[in-house]
Amino acid sequence: MPEMLATRAAFRTSCRATLDALREEGRYREFARLERLADRFPVYRCHGPHGPREVTVWSSNDYLGMGTHPLVLASHVEAVARHGAGAGGTRNISGTSPVHAALEAELAALHGKPAALLFGSGYLSNQAGLSAVLGALPGFHVFSDAKNHASMIAGMRGARDAVRHVWRHNDLDHLETLLRAAPPGAPKLIAFESVYSMDGDIAPIAAICDLAERHGAMTYLDEVHAVGLYGATGGGISERDGVADRVDIIEGTLAKGIGVLGGYIAGEAEVVDYVRSVAGGLIFTTALPPGVAAAALTSLRLLRREPARRVALAERAAALKSALDRAGLPRLPSPSHIVPVAVPGGASACRAAARRLLEAHDIYATPIDYPTVPRGTERLRLCATPHHTDAMITALVGALGEVLQPALARRAA
Ligand SMILES: Cc1ncc(COP(=O)(O)O)c(C=O)c1O
């Protein structure tokens, strides 16, 4: 018993020390209470210490606002009324409904692949999918871009037999050097993303596929920040660049461009069937609620046949970038819809800037710091959706000018 007490005391001390260190470094995370208003996106009600007030959100990953589209909401409500709130079991235990099957067929068609498999989230699809793929053969060598998402890293680590090589971000010479150095006969997989969410830069998918072919490697591509947003029908950068057929496995989310919740992989029928049969993150967890799957299916069908939202997204992102440039604000160069604005002065300065934006200007932008990005590259991550107006851009740029002024002045001095 005294040993148990000692363990608990040591555990509490360790938790407290971690929290104190996070606070000291300015990296303690506080979740702003933002109540989404479906009919007014991107306006939210923010619940702060002085009561609720309306704010404009610039950091939603519902990049097209599809999570508030009336037809998406209607299909969600209708499916909940018809099928109930939850799936009631894993896919294996009465949790597979026709709507799951229809959504998987639509996702497979989106990427031009024979099959697709749903997961509870994009995180799970990477974690469970990559672990399963790398577990298929002994001694897999996996080549991972240095900026790959935590869920991909978790998936690679989950395959205990696999040897992981990290290549410098988007550096094809480094990737080729590592591929050359690996044993020629070993099974190889290159794992990378299309749009990188913190910098907004884009992978050269065709060139990576060239390297993969030259070195006999398979490819695994995370299109989480591109699905619905790029390509003629929203199939992502691989569709835009005409290379989806050269990628073995495409992974995506239903939570960002599609605006709902869930994740998936798409690929050859037998590969998808294999993952379905062995992935713990699918087999041992309850299926997506049918209402969620129905809403995602409606959203995906709208996105596939209506390119206007993609055009509007590109136009709004360009408008935001040029307004920031005209004001001389330090945005990081990005060819995508993600617009990071650098905040000099470390994590504390970045969080202070976000706090002031919210408190003084009724604007919410997420502060990004270590470990999501390297120390010294803290930033506010902005995304203009088709619903952000010119007036909202003007207000944001004016507010940023005021809020960032002290940090920029310190840097200039
Ligand atoms: C590159 C990448 N992959 C996967 C995920 C996880 O997706 P989800 O939010 O659907 O779990 C994220 C989340 O932000 C991501 O940035």
Side-chain angles (χ1 to χ4, degrees):
M1 213 50 176
E3 274 159 40
M4 183 61 181
L5 289 178
T7 302
R8 227 174 244 139
F11 171 72
R12 286 204 188 107
T13 306
S14 166
C15 293
R16 197 166 310 128
T18 301
L19 291 170
D20 287 348
L22 286 171
R23 282 197 189 92
E24 196 158 313
E25 223 191 306
R27 293 197 297 116
Y28 179 73
R29 289 179 187 214
E30 285 176 58
F31 297 155
R33 290 191 191 166
L34 295 163
E35 181 185 347
R36 188 138 98 127
L37 305 173
D39 54 348
R40 304 199 37 215
F41 182 75
V43 174
Y44 286 56
R45 192 171 294 128
C46 178
H47 294 261
H50 309 298
R53 65 189 207 284
E54 289 186 356
V55 302
T56 304
V57 168
W58 278 95
S59 293
S60 174
N61 280 343
D62 184 355
Y63 295 127
L64 298 169
M66 293 305 285
T68 63
H69 192 290
L71 294 177
V72 174
L73 303 193
S75 63
H76 194 178
V77 169
E78 194 209 336
V80 169
R82 192 134 36 118
H83 307 296
T90 67
R91 292 293 297 272
N92 198 37
I93 305 177
S94 70
T96 298
S97 78
V99 71
H100 291 104
L103 181 52
E104 286 175 339
E106 193 80 26
L107 288 165
L110 173 73
H111 294 295
K113 300 289 182 196
L117 179 66
L118 286 171
F119 289 84
S121 70
Y123 188 101
L124 265 178
S125 55
N126 272 333
Q127 185 190 39
L130 268 170
S131 287
V133 167
L134 294 171
L137 285 171
F140 237 119
H141 283 244
V142 56
F143 299 81
S144 172
D145 185 286
K147 291 202 172 168
N148 275 344
H149 189 255
S151 55
M152 297 173 81
I153 295 167
M156 291 181 261
R157 288 199 175 135
R160 264 176 254 127
D161 236 21
V163 182
R164 186 159 64 103
H165 308 267
V166 179
W167 45 293
R168 284 192 293 272
H169 177 54
N170 273 347
D171 181 340
L172 296 191
D173 291 339
H174 192 217
L175 172 59
E176 178 145 43
T177 305
L178 294 178
L179 283 164
R180 274 217 187 96
K188 301 182 188 77
L189 179 82
I190 303 174
F192 62 112
E193 300 180 21
S194 57
V195 176
Y196 285 86
S197 70
M198 293 304 142
D199 294 343
D201 58 341
I202 295 178
I205 303 178
I208 292 170
C209 291
D210 290 344
L211 275 183
E213 275 159 29
R214 223 176 297 144
H215 293 272
M218 290 171 60
T219 43
Y220 180 104
L221 172 62
D222 175 315
E223 286 263 34
V224 157
H225 293 279
V227 167
L229 316 181
Y230 297 92
T233 67
I237 301 293
S238 55
E239 184 188 27
R240 185 197 74 176
D241 293 357
V243 292
D245 60 329
R246 299 182 66 196
V247 177
D248 288 287
I249 297 161
I250 295 179
E251 182 272 345
T253 183
L254 308 175
K256 303 191 196 295
I258 293 171
V260 191
L261 177 73
Y264 64 90
I265 59 162
E268 267 177 31
E270 215 162 34
V271 171
V272 170
D273 199 21
Y274 158 78
V275 174
R276 186 184 71 85
S277 306
V278 305
L282 175 88
I283 295 171
F284 299 111
T285 186
T286 301
L288 280 177
V292 167
L297 182 57
T298 299
S299 173
L300 180 55
R301 285 181 173 154
L302 286 167
L303 286 171
R304 287 191 74 199
R305 64 170 187 255
E306 294 175 4
R309 284 179 201 87
R310 286 183 278 284
V311 175
L313 179 76
E315 186 281 323
R316 290 289 77 191
L320 173 60
K321 287 174 191 174
S322 44
L324 290 167
D325 292 346
R326 278 196 305 276
L329 289 165
R331 82 175 168 86
L332 308 182
S334 126
S336 73
H337 60 287
I338 295 167
V339 184
V341 171
V343 182
S348 300
C350 191
R351 281 183 191 268
R355 210 172 306 119
R356 178 143 180 86
L357 266 186
L358 188 58
E359 282 164 11
H361 299 278
D362 295 336
I363 286 171
Y364 178 78
T366 310
I368 309 283
D369 53 31
Y370 179 83
T372 311
V373 294
R375 286 190 170 88
T377 69
E378 290 78 12
R379 64 201 64 179
L380 297 171
R381 180 179 178 275
L382 308 175
C383 302
T385 73
H387 300 265
H388 286 87
T389 62
D390 284 340
M392 287 172 179
I393 292 180
T394 305
L396 170 70
V397 170
L400 278 174
E402 185 269 319
V403 162
L404 296 183
Q405 209 275 328
L408 294 174
R410 262 198 312 277
R411 190 179 61 174

